[in-house]
Amino acid sequence: MIRPAGALLVLGLLNDACQSSQELKSEQYFAEGYQLYTTYCSNCHQTDGKGMSGLYPPLVGSGQLTEKSRLACIIKNGMSDTIMVNGKEFSRPMPPNPKLKDLEIAEIVTYLNIKWGKDSVFTSIEFVEKSLKDCAPN
Amino acid sequence: MRLIQKNICINFIASLFTLSAIFSCGSENNKLPILGERDWVTKTVDGKEIVDTIYNVIPPFTFVNQDSDTITEKIVEGKIYVSDFFFTSCPTICPVMKRQMLKVFKEIKANPDVMIISHTIDPEHDTPQVLHKYAEDLGVEGKQWQFVTGPKDKIYEIGQKNYMSTAKEDKSAEGGYIHSGAFILVDKEKHVRGMYDGTTDEGTQKLLKDITTLLEEYKK
């Protein structure tokens, strides 16, 4: 990349470094998230995220996916409400995953939203921390 | 000698999941082996001493299915069937097993000589109503795939002793139970003729192949 000399160059370099570190982090989160998804989620939601019959809801196309605060809470605390996903009702409870750390949840949320949502960058640990604080069971 | 032979058979069962090669306990080519512990009795026929083998046989049972009907071994009379153990709230291998079993179900659907019996190992939670909803959500209709519940000790006993499939409560396990992911193939004489890893596609494909082989036996 050719850039004008002086301050602009420094700024440009900084900007580039910043971008690439964010890209790198997104890639790391995505890769880790994929592993975690395979371990903790894909048994029910399937590798392709399409769920299984009327038993387990799909993630692809689900409104719960892009509501990331709620998504983080569901991953951590499980869910027992009846929900509508893509026009179908699901009422089977999802078990909580109390062992998952905030970082791991951030990685899963990142994976899901880059893979099947519209995100191109990672979801931060801070975001997950805040989300979980807001929905912490009493 | 008898003891050694028994050991060979037991070892052989234990290694079934890893070895799907040719079975030494089976007697003829292209015939599936009869699995499980055996016993031998010596009797005299026409003045000659002969040794009779007593094989592991699935004993009579009484369970309740997803339609709240009482079912017994009569439901599989004159049929071969596949059996497994699961529970509806299981977060680990059951969804994987059920996905594989769905493939089996689709293959055997056209054949009234084949059935599936899935036993719950969590009968307190998995009532006939719960099983009914589960079957429905899985997209299973009709009587060919039975989801059964019953007294816990009876399910565990038949599971461990006759289907040779571990099933027990374990509070430390995720979901509260541990059980094997095996699919068990049973013939019309109630002998176990094969055990397969129900968590993998390879295991399921092997089962489908063996179902065909076993059905061939009855055509002759």
Side-chain angles (χ1 to χ4, degrees):
Chain A
M1 192 181 283
I2 301 163
R3 280 180 186 273
L8 253 178
L9 175 70
V10 178
L11 220 108
L13 279 176
L14 269 176
N15 193 24
D16 269 4
C18 201
Q19 248 178 5
S20 61
S21 95
Q22 202 178 39
E23 258 168 43
L24 192 69
K25 208 165 176 185
S26 296
E27 272 168 32
Q28 280 171 347
Y29 272 47
F30 184 88
E32 288 295 323
Y34 166 72
Q35 297 293 343
L36 292 162
Y37 179 80
T38 305
T39 310
Y40 293 97
C41 321
S42 73
N43 275 355
C44 294
H45 295 291
Q46 306 298 312
T47 310
D48 61 8
K50 289 186 179 154
M52 191 165 132
S53 313
L55 286 176
Y56 314 112
L59 301 173
V60 181
S62 164
Q64 324 283 326
L65 197 74
T66 44
E67 271 183 62
K68 283 182 270 183
S69 283
R70 185 165 147 75
L71 182 62
C73 291
I74 295 173
I75 294 170
K76 178 85 174 187
N77 303 322
M79 187 167 64
S80 49
D81 308 340
T82 294
I83 52 162
M84 293 290 288
V85 181
N86 301 349
K88 250 168 102 180
E89 201 178 87
F90 294 88
S91 55
R92 220 156 274 283
M94 169 169 150
N97 294 287
K99 282 185 213 153
L100 285 180
K101 298 183 186 75
D102 291 354
L103 168 65
E104 293 171 313
I105 293 174
E107 287 166 339
I108 296 173
V109 172
T110 298
Y111 174 73
L112 296 176
N113 273 283
I114 291 180
K115 181 92 177 162
W116 295 308
K118 288 191 174 117
D119 281 11
S120 54
V121 289
F122 70 98
T123 302
S124 69
I125 306 180
E126 293 74 29
F127 176 83
V128 169
E129 266 170 14
K130 189 183 177 308
S131 306
L132 291 180
K133 217 173 265 168
D134 291 347
C135 70
N138 300 319
Chain B
M1 183 59 198
R2 190 183 127 178
L3 206 79
I4 292 167
Q5 260 179 314
K6 246 187 180 174
N7 275 339
I8 290 170
C9 269
I10 290 166
N11 278 339
F12 145 72
I13 289 156
S15 60
L16 250 186
F17 280 133
T18 44
L19 287 178
S20 57
I22 297 154
F23 302 115
S24 53
C25 287
S27 51
E28 286 171 51
N29 289 339
N30 298 328
K31 225 177 153 187
L32 303 175
I34 295 174
L35 306 181
E37 276 199 49
R38 328 180 151 182
D39 225 328
W40 285 266
V41 286
T42 312
K43 54 183 184 183
T44 314
V45 179
D46 299 331
K48 272 189 202 162
E49 240 186 32
I50 61 157
V51 179
D52 236 6
T53 311
I54 300 167
Y55 295 102
N56 168 44
V57 171
I58 305 299
F61 54 82
T62 305
F63 295 126
V64 178
N65 73 5
Q66 73 267 36
D67 298 318
S68 303
D69 294 330
T70 300
I71 65 147
T72 67
E73 68 284 356
K74 289 217 166 56
I75 198 159
V76 283
E77 210 167 65
K79 295 172 195 285
I80 70 168
Y81 68 101
V82 182
S83 168
D84 74 346
F85 293 82
F86 82 114
F87 56 110
T88 63
S89 55
C90 157
T92 52
I93 60 172
C94 311
V96 183
M97 288 170 73
K98 286 293 163 279
R99 186 163 54 114
Q100 296 296 342
M101 195 65 104
L102 264 181
K103 287 184 196 163
V104 178
F105 182 62
K106 276 181 192 141
E107 290 294 321
I108 64 156
K109 227 171 163 179
N111 192 337
D113 283 349
V114 190
M115 283 188 79
I116 301 172
I117 303 182
S118 289
H119 307 72
T120 176
I121 56 167
D122 183 14
E124 281 138 28
H125 177 267
D126 292 344
T127 58
Q129 292 75 26
V130 172
L131 292 174
H132 186 90
K133 177 89 172 82
Y134 187 86
E136 196 181 87
D137 287 347
L138 197 60
V140 174
E141 283 171 1
K143 298 205 176 298
Q144 211 172 355
W145 189 344
Q146 297 281 322
F147 295 81
V148 304
T149 182
K152 207 173 204 172
D153 54 334
K154 293 285 174 210
I155 295 171
Y156 287 19
E157 189 188 333
I158 203 168
Q160 275 165 24
K161 250 172 86 178
N162 305 103
Y163 289 115
M164 300 168 279
S165 198
T166 328
K168 61 179 177 192
E169 225 166 333
D170 184 343
K171 294 274 183 262
S172 68
E174 228 171 309
Y177 296 88
I178 49 171
H179 63 106
S180 89
F183 290 163
I184 305 120
L185 178 62
V186 183
D187 70 11
K188 294 184 183 180
E189 286 72 42
K190 309 247 171 14
H191 294 138
V192 174
R193 302 297 292 274
M195 294 182 71
Y196 312 86
D197 185 350
T199 64
T200 65
D201 204 42
E202 295 80 66
T204 307
Q205 293 309 323
K206 175 87 169 63
L207 166 63
L208 287 173
K209 217 177 109 224
D210 283 1
I211 287 175
T212 312
T213 309
L214 186 55
L215 285 170
E216 281 296 318
E217 268 183 34
Y218 294 104
K219 278 184 188 160
K220 284 160 198 165

